[in-house]
Amino acid sequence: VMGGDSAKKRQEAVDHFQTDPECKIIVLNLQAGGEGLTLTAASNVAFAELAWTPGMMDQAIARAHRIGQTASSVNGWLLLADGDTVDSNMSELIDKKRAIVAAATDGTPLEGKKKTQMSILPDLLKALVKKSKEKDDIEDVEFDDEAE
């Protein structure tokens, strides 16, 4: 299933995969397969391409891990070329973004960060204020370090 496929052709492919026990694989690109599909017949999701955001990758895996899933687990696999490739660099970037999102939302410490705080939002705000001060965009802002 590709992004240029009609809605009818896309749904026919999904229905075939979901209902035909002989059909063991469905191939979709992230754009076409990332939203609006239910693929509960799948227990493994292999990515031959990567998205720039962790959310898009998670959404694609979630297509298989839905209500009605009969497998006990759904596994996501990244198919990356060996060595220093665009995909391996993107994979590292996605992992870094995922760590930043976790730190911002639930306080998971970033690698190399000594102290644990509720989130990295105070650090992000301080960095934003610092950059803005350098451009003379804003006046002085006080931060309560106890709030961290």
Side-chain angles (χ1 to χ4, degrees):
V1 178
M2 301 297 289
D5 291 345
S6 69
K8 181 180 179 196
K9 184 176 177 182
R10 184 172 115 160
Q11 192 58 51
E12 286 172 355
V14 169
D15 291 345
H16 179 70
F17 177 72
Q18 287 286 98
T19 59
D20 185 348
E22 297 297 313
C23 183
K24 304 289 185 193
I25 189 170
I26 186 168
V27 178
L28 313 109
N29 71 2
L30 279 173
Q31 193 83 23
E35 294 180 8
L37 299 181
T38 298
L39 299 170
T40 54
S43 59
N44 288 285
V45 178
F47 295 99
E49 65 177 335
L50 299 176
W52 285 104
T53 63
M56 191 169 186
M57 301 297 293
D58 293 346
Q59 180 73 9
I61 292 173
R63 299 298 98 219
H65 193 267
R66 312 213 29 99
I67 294 171
Q69 174 59 261
T70 56
S72 60
S73 67
V74 174
N75 303 298
W77 304 90
L78 296 177
L79 307 176
L80 303 175
D82 206 12
D84 187 24
T85 65
V86 171
D87 281 347
S88 64
N89 292 328
M90 281 180 67
S91 179
E92 287 177 23
L93 178 65
I94 290 167
D95 289 344
K96 287 178 184 175
K97 286 181 176 183
R98 189 177 305 281
I100 290 169
V101 168
T105 58
D106 66 11
T108 303
L110 289 172
E111 187 176 317
K113 186 95 169 147
K114 291 183 181 177
K115 69 178 187 174
T116 303
Q117 57 192 34
M118 290 303 292
S119 78
I120 65 165
L121 288 176
D123 289 343
L124 292 173
L125 288 172
K126 286 178 185 177
L128 179 61
V129 167
K130 182 180 177 184
K131 281 201 172 281
S132 294
K133 281 182 181 180
E134 290 169 1
K135 294 181 178 182
D136 292 325
D137 289 344
I138 63 171
E139 297 176 20
D140 286 345
V141 175
E142 297 280 330
F143 284 95
D144 179 8
D145 288 334
E146 297 295 319
E148 293 182 40

